[in-house]
Amino acid sequence: VQLQASGGGLVQAGGSLRLSCTISGISNRASDSYAMAWFRQTPGKERKFVAGISWAGIAMRYEDSVKGRFTISRDRDDIKNTMSLQMNSLKPEDTAVYYCAVDQPWGGRPKDDEYEYDYWGQGTQVTVSS
């Protein structure tokens, strides 16, 4: 299983970015269901949960500081398998390396504990200037 995160960059406070995560090599059968999430990490600190989405795309979960500003979504069919994070009204404190992750098998509400996740992308840097 491979995850490829993209879409990071430098943006001014108040601006927007859209992160994408493409997943390959993973089964899309319902019996192999999985949740997906975005985490972020700043130097010297633990990786923290940002947002997660369930297998069916119905249950979503957000860290309190991003509620109302970030929106997670996923697109899954026989051909593609992607997850996105639309980030609006960005703040300097959103600056971090953002990672996408998969929790498999799990068909329920996404978890916020990084140790529950089995596969990780390489990270993409988001920098918000004041």
Side-chain angles (χ1 to χ4, degrees), residues 47-114:
R47 198 153 45 185
K48 293 186 177 181
F49 176 83
V50 176
I53 189 165
S54 64
W55 165 255
I58 296 174
M60 287 161 278
R61 185 174 186 174
Y62 296 93
E63 191 268 329
D64 287 345
S65 70
V66 307
K67 286 180 181 176
R69 300 189 297 122
F70 291 10
T71 303
I72 191 170
S73 60
R74 67 184 297 176
D75 191 358
R76 174 175 50 82
D77 59 29
D78 291 341
I79 299 174
K80 60 182 180 294
N81 198 349
T82 59
M83 174 179 66
S84 297
L85 185 68
Q86 178 66 41
M87 305 187 296
N88 299 327
S89 302
L90 282 162
K91 303 176 181 180
E93 50 264 43
D94 294 318
T95 295
V97 177
Y98 283 70
Y99 297 89
C100 55
V102 164
D103 175 10
Q104 186 181 48
W106 182 248
R109 185 171 182 246
K111 304 165 191 170
D112 62 1
D113 182 349
E114 64 171 313

Side-chain angles (χ1 to χ4, degrees), residues 2-77:
Q2 291 187 322
L3 284 70
Q4 181 71 40
S6 62
L10 173 64
V11 65
Q12 288 188 331
S16 299
L17 281 174
R18 186 176 181 87
L19 305 184
S20 294
C21 180
T22 301
I23 307 97
S24 59
I26 196 166
S27 167
N28 276 332
R29 295 178 299 183
S31 57
D32 297 323
S33 59
Y34 55 91
M36 298 191 68
W38 290 95
F39 288 76
R40 63 187 178 187
Q41 187 174 30
T42 54
K45 295 192 176 181
E46 294 182 344
R47 198 153 45 185
K48 293 186 177 181
F49 176 83
V50 176
I53 189 165
S54 64
W55 165 255
I58 296 174
M60 287 161 278
R61 185 174 186 174
Y62 296 93
E63 191 268 329
D64 287 345
S65 70
V66 307
K67 286 180 181 176
R69 300 189 297 122
F70 291 10
T71 303
I72 191 170
S73 60
R74 67 184 297 176
D75 191 358
R76 174 175 50 82
D77 59 29

